[in-house]
Structures are given as C-alpha cells and as structure tokens.
Amino acid sequence: MTLLIILALLVAGVILFMQTPQFGRKPTGERLKKIELSPNYKDGQFQNLRHTPDLAEGVSMSNVLWKFFFGKSKRSKPKAALPSQKTDLLHLDPKENIIVWFGHSSYFIQVDGKTILVDPVFSGSASPISFTTKAFAGADVYSADDFPKIDFLFISHDHWDHLDYETVMKLKGKVSKIITGLGTGEHFERWGFDMNSVIERDWYETVEMGESFSVHVTPGRHFAGRTFKRNTAIWASFVLKTPTQNLFLGGDSGYDSHFKAIGDKYGPFDVAILECGQYNESWKYIHMMPEETVKAAQELKAKKLMPVHWAKFALALHDWDEPIIRVSEEAKKQNIPLITPMIGQKVNFEKEETFAEWWKGLE
C-alpha cells in the first residue's frame, strides 16, 4: 500500500510539474482550426513530407535508452572549458554583415541593418529539469543582457534545445517580431507575448517584412513537442532574403529530398546554416549524418556552409568533436567552403575568411 501511495504521489507530482508555464500549451481555438486545414496535418498531428520513423528499422526504444545512459562515448563532453570569444553585440557597426554563433543552434545575424536571433538557448540547460542536459563549460558565455534590440527572432521548432523558456522570457522586451512555424505561437501566447508580434506560418508560406526583407518558411524532416504529445506544432527551416543576401536557416532535419526542392526554388544561397551533430544511425531519419550535411548544402546550392547543432549539449552518443571533424573532411572532399568560428567569434560572412581548427587538440 505504501508503495502505491508513493507511486501515486510521484505521478501527481509529474502531472503538476508539466502544468508549469515552461511546457507551453497545445494549440486550441482558432489556431487549432487553422492547423487542421494545413495540408501537412493529418491524423491529429503534423506529418513529414515522407514517412519518417522516430527510430530506424529494427531499433527499439529500450535499446536506445540503454545506450544513451550506458553507451555514450567517454568523450561525449569536453574535459575542459571550450575556448570562446565575447563579441560586444551592443556596439556593432550597423553596416557590418555578420554572424555570431553561440554553440548548438543559437546564432545572431546582423545583415543590411537588421538584427536577427535564431533558436537562442542561454539558460545553461536544454531540459525542463535545469540540472540535466547541461551546456558544456565555455559554451554559455552569453546571456540575454548581451543582446541589442532584436528585429526578428526565429524559432525553428519547440524542442527544449531550440525554444528555451527562460531565454525568451528574458528577451521579451527586446524582440520586435517572432517568426516561427504554425502552432508554436500557442506557447508564446501562454507566456504573455504580444501576439501582434508573433508570426506563424506553414511550409511554403511567405512573410514580407518590409525594406526588401522576406522569409519563406520551408520544410524540415524532424518532429516537435515539449511534452509526451508530439507534433501539435510544425518544425521548420527558413529562407531569409535580404536586400543583399540569400540565407538558409536550417533548423533540425534529417536528410531528404526537400533540400534539393528548396535549392531549386529559392537558391542559390550565400550561406546555408545546417545541423551536423547529435546524430546516430538509430535515429537517422530525423538528424543528418555530417556527410549528409555537406550533400544538403550542395543541393541547396550554397556558396558557404556553416555547420551547427554541436559544441554545447551532449544529445547523442558520439564524441563531442566528431561532427565537426567529419563535416570538415567531407567539405574538403566536395570543395565546399566552411564557416567554423569559435563560439562567440564575429564572422563577416561576405568576406573570405580562414578559420582556425580550434577544436583540435582538445579532449
């Protein structure tokens, strides 16, 4: 009887915990009606363009969990703090066209006088439980206080390592417009954001932002969800067209034919920012292998590739630096120029730069 009471209390505690604001909210009302009209919504959830199993054929969840807890590389996290730089983002020359990467999939872009922030996670964790999935030492040198006014905040999807409650709440007063996939706005509505500033779109819908800036919301091959219920909001990539640049902001995605379709429709791109880490053969349909990242950049017709989704969180089993080693080797074979800055380093993406392989020699 005592055990049953303890179990009941634990279940009740989990249920209460999952009602806290950080978990957001499932779409309802007019937003849900719009979602249900989407060509990408079927059987009560958003769907990928092609059948996309969570796990590869013959792989069980129990096997994945066992390997995740007991089979990780001993080098899944760096032993010492990663090297980083601290760029003064509050006093940039507004004429500079730059990218600053913060580890994983968080980065800042200033282009043609506009400031853009993508998938910021500065809470030190990629989990609702703050002491789990901690950021690597050296990978969290920025906070919300370090940012100027943000013209456009892009959120690719609502996973914890891309939509961080603590971070967006601290940025709330600095952000003019939020651009995200259909359904994700429900979270921002619960969190008290001005919904006139939140723009949600489905795949292949366009946002005209004025002053010759536009965004096309494009597909990925992934999934979404902040709780056990998945895919009530869509996951997305973005084509950002500015007066002088054409940029692809990739979000999370497994490899598929959508990269070629996007390249044919919107390319070529001056820079493609694509994930290259947190992969495994067991979940190969929802995250690319590094070699596939290079192939995707080729199909997007990208002049330069910036690989992200690495060097901050250990979400897979591989060595922390394996993604950049593999993608660098493949990019050299395919003659694709890479943008590989240190965390926090300012990069002028219009110029030809040579980047130090700063990860080499680190344990």
Side-chain angles (χ1 to χ4, degrees), residues 34 37-40 179-182 199-208 214-219 234 237-239 265-266:
K34 185 175 181 180
L37 294 174
S38 168
N40 304 302
I179 300 171
T180 190
L182 184 58
I199 301 170
E200 299 171 79
R201 292 293 185 269
D202 205 348
W203 291 340
Y204 291 114
E205 291 184 342
T206 299
V207 182
E208 296 294 342
S214 64
V215 173
H216 305 284
V217 179
T218 45
I234 205 167
S237 56
F238 305 97
V239 173
K265 187 175 179 67
Y266 300 112

Side-chain angles (χ1 to χ4, degrees), residues 73 75-78 82 101 103-105 136 274-280 283 287-295 305-332 338-340 357-360 362-363:
S73 164
R75 295 187 67 251
S76 64
K77 299 178 181 180
L82 294 179
W101 174 60
H104 205 63
S105 291
F136 299 160
L274 294 169
E275 67 152 63
C276 77
Q278 318 319 315
Y279 52 81
N280 190 277
W283 53 87
H287 283 296
M288 288 187 283
M289 303 295 157
E291 294 76 18
E292 291 176 321
T293 300
V294 175
K295 185 177 180 181
L305 164 63
M306 182 170 168
V308 298
H309 211 244
W310 71 285
K312 189 163 187 171
F313 302 115
L315 305 178
L317 311 181
H318 54 65
D319 290 357
W320 74 269
D321 56 354
E322 183 184 294
I324 194 61
I325 292 170
R326 286 176 59 175
V327 80
S328 296
E329 290 174 351
E330 185 65 18
K332 287 176 183 176
L338 288 186
I339 298 174
T340 55
E357 295 178 318
W358 57 266
W359 55 88
K360 286 194 171 181
L362 302 180
E363 286 298 316

Side-chain angles (χ1 to χ4, degrees), residues 28 61 97 137 158 170 175 187 217 229 232 277 344:
T28 58
M61 181 56 72
N97 286 352
D158 67 0
K170 289 181 178 178
V175 174
H187 302 315
V217 179
K229 175 65 175 175
T232 60

